[in-house]
Structures are given as structure tokens and as C-alpha cells.
Amino acid sequence: MGVLRQHLLVLEPEYHERVWGGQRLRPSDPPIGEVWIAHGPSVVSAGPHAGETINALIADCGGALVGTAVAERFGGRFPILIKLLDCADWLSVQVHPNDEQARRLVGPNEFGKTEAWYFLDAKPGSRIMAGVKSGVDRDTLAAAIRGGRVLDVAEHVEIRAGDALLIPAGTLHALGPGLLLYEIQQASDTTYRAYDWGRPQSTGRKLHIEESVEVTEPVGPADKVHPEIAPGTGAASVVDCALFDLDLVRVSPSTPWSSDTLGKSFHFITVIEGTAELVSGDDRVRLGRFETALVAGSAGAFEIRAVAEPVSLLRAMVPD
């Protein structure tokens, strides 16, 4: 087993073009819809492990990187994928399988996909689809999916900046135009499209009607939350589930924010406003807006300081 030579690892973003993407993450034509900011193939951008991926470091360093509880629970598999999404148009109406369904329908080592959204920006009137309307049963839902009438049964939810929502596996959902968001999910890219607004189908973008019928549950949306933090330095829970925890953190220039991995789980820190300095022992890194660092599970206590102006960030981890 190798030695982990840094406990704060800044990660390189991966930009992905999408037909529904916008221009807020990076000006581009075709437009950028997703930035994958943290997952197993993410590459460390600087320091002793520059150029290495999270997956390679797991193979070499194990629990020192991911934490003892994560290593015990998931072995050498990295469990989380985090993205930023910029939606200029409706995404497909889609659904994801749970763990059992993913193993059966995709492969024996596949994760299902429960995810959560924290909305960084929302233009007036922005909406999502999440779940189905009250009174829609399984047979009605299946008929709507097969008949191309998903929009008739989907529940719409209005969104404003600062809202957050958990999307359990099996929940029908779609993101609408005008939204900029942070998405945390299980490390799976399995998506079943039930409806795609008449866009041309291709090998990489096709409908999955029967798979959607099989895995979609006739459930409404989970409760929308809007975490608030009092002025100054503090934190508030955004999502708390068995697969991941997500917190909103604000740090004032006068008062740093402290946390501790307790050796159990890595933490991901993503700055959403301002500039932050992370300190763990002799390690020190600086993050600007939308930059992400992995705090190794073995880091223990660490501190986040605001540089010049107040900083807002999201902290993600895996609960034990």
C-alpha cells in the first residue's frame, strides 16, 4: 500500500457538451451542459499527486484517501459523482434504477442512481419535473410512458436559487431551462429516457421506454428545502441520506470554519461564491468559484478561511 503524500487534492474539471447546455459554465459552441467536478476518474491538478486519478490513488492508498468507513463499505469503488449543470433548455424526462435494478438490468457491479440537486441560480419562472401527480397509479404511469404522454402525468415544481431537492432512484424527473445547479449522485451514469421533446434519437441519446416503465415508481416529489445560514460563519444541512450528506457552508473573513473527517470519509469542498483557503496540517490550497478539492479521509481536522470576502461552499461526504 502506497503513502498518501497530500491531504488536500484540487481536481481538474471535465467539460461535457450537451444539446440543452448553456454558456454560464464556459462559453462554447456546441454548448457546455455539464462539468464533472468530482468522481473516480477525476485528475489531481497540482501537488505530489498531480496527474493521478482518484481511482488510481484508491488502488494505491485505500482508506487513507477515502476514509476507513468508505473503504469498508465500498472497497475499491468510488461511490460519488458530482456535477455542475447549466440548463438552457429542458433535459429529457428520465428515471434511474435503484441498486438492485442496476445490477439486474445493467451489470453485476453497477450502482443505482439516487441524486440530489442544489440550485445555484434560477431565472424567474424556472421549473423542474419531479415525480408524478397525485392519483397517478402504476398502470396509468406505464400507459403514459408507452404512449408518449409523460408530460400529462409529471408533477411540476417551481424553483428559486437556494432550493434543494432529493431525487431517489425510481423518481421521474427533468430539469427545465434557466437553471444552474450542483448535482451529487451515486457513481452511475445509467439514465433511462422516457421522453425527449422530439429530439433526434442516436446511439448515445435514445429513448428507453420499457426500462422506464420497469423502474419508475408512481411517487410524487420529495420535499423541497431551502437551507438558510445566519450572518457570519456557519453551516446548514442540504441533504442527509444514507448515500451522501451535503451541507451549505458560509465563511466570513473574520471567522474560519473548522471540520474533521474523523478518518472515516473523504470530504469534497466546492466553492460557489468567493475564494477559499483550505488548511490541513502543512497542506494549503486555494479554491475559486466552482473549483473543487478532495479532503482525504485521513486528513482529520481541517479549516476553511475566506479570502478577502465572505465565501459560500458546498461540502459533500459519505455517512458511516
Side-chain angles (χ1 to χ4, degrees):
M1 190 65 71
V3 175
L4 188 66
R5 291 172 288 158
Q6 63 188 115
H7 288 100
L8 302 177
L9 300 97
V10 180
L11 304 177
E12 296 180 1
E14 302 171 23
Y15 293 88
H16 294 266
E17 299 169 355
R18 295 290 185 261
V19 65
W20 43 261
Q23 300 295 318
R24 288 180 286 185
L25 295 172
R26 188 174 73 179
S28 176
D29 184 16
I32 299 297
E34 299 182 358
V35 183
W36 293 26
I37 57 175
H39 65 140
S42 290
V43 176
V44 179
S45 66
H49 293 295
E52 297 183 65
T53 66
I54 291 177
N55 283 337
L57 288 170
I58 292 174
D60 194 35
C61 303
L65 181 76
V66 298
T68 55
V70 174
E72 182 176 347
R73 182 175 176 186
F74 296 103
R77 302 174 66 196
F78 196 70
I80 295 298
L81 167 59
I82 301 176
K83 307 175 184 178
L84 301 175
L85 287 83
D86 180 12
C87 311
D89 199 354
W90 279 102
L91 279 67
S92 62
V93 184
Q94 57 189 241
V95 65
H96 310 296
N98 60 31
D99 286 348
E100 182 278 325
Q101 292 165 336
R103 289 191 294 268
R104 177 165 48 84
L105 297 172
V106 185
N109 296 317
E110 292 296 319
F111 287 126
K113 187 172 172 182
T114 286
E115 59 192 2
W117 298 329
Y118 178 80
F119 293 94
L120 305 169
D121 191 24
K123 295 181 180 179
S126 294
R127 299 187 299 165
I128 64 171
M129 297 180 201
V132 298
K133 296 175 181 176
S134 177
V136 173
D137 61 19
R138 191 175 297 276
D139 289 342
T140 303
L141 176 57
I145 293 172
R146 290 188 173 115
R149 295 179 284 101
V150 168
L151 303 185
D152 295 340
V153 300
E155 183 70 89
H156 288 76
V157 179
E158 292 189 3
I159 295 296
R160 61 190 177 104
D163 286 344
L165 199 71
L166 180 68
I167 305 291
T171 303
L172 194 72
H173 61 276
L175 291 161
L179 297 170
L180 180 69
L181 64 142
Y182 171 107
E183 177 182 270
I184 181 170
Q185 60 175 78
Q186 290 177 270
S188 166
D189 202 33
T190 299
T191 294
Y192 296 141
R193 295 183 183 88
Y195 179 80
D196 200 22
W197 309 95
R199 294 179 179 124
Q201 295 189 52
S202 64
T203 302
R205 189 175 189 90
K206 61 182 181 179
L207 296 178
H208 310 86
I209 299 302
E210 293 307 314
E211 295 94 333
S212 297
V213 168
E214 180 167 352
V215 307
T216 306
E217 296 293 330
V219 296
D223 290 337
K224 183 175 63 175
V225 299
H226 192 92
E228 299 280 3
I229 301 174
T233 295
S237 176
V238 177
V239 174
D240 181 0
C241 72
L243 298 165
F244 42 76
D245 288 343
L246 182 65
D247 298 307
L248 175 66
V249 180
R250 294 222 171 88
V251 186
S252 72
S254 61
T255 309
W257 183 75
S258 299
S259 189
D260 197 323
T261 68
L262 301 175
K264 294 182 177 181
S265 172
F266 61 87
H267 291 197
F268 279 129
I269 306 296
T270 301
V271 171
I272 56 176
E273 290 292 343
T275 303
E277 183 178 63
L278 280 62
V279 181
S280 174
D282 294 332
D283 286 0
R284 188 183 302 259
V285 299
R286 186 169 287 198
L287 297 177
R289 187 172 187 241
F290 295 160
E291 292 184 320
T292 297
L294 183 151
V295 181
S298 58
F302 66 95
E303 186 175 86
I304 300 179
R305 303 167 184 169
V307 178
E309 301 291 336
V311 63
S312 297
L313 58 95
L314 291 164
R315 187 270 301 271
M317 57 178 288
V318 175
D320 57 14

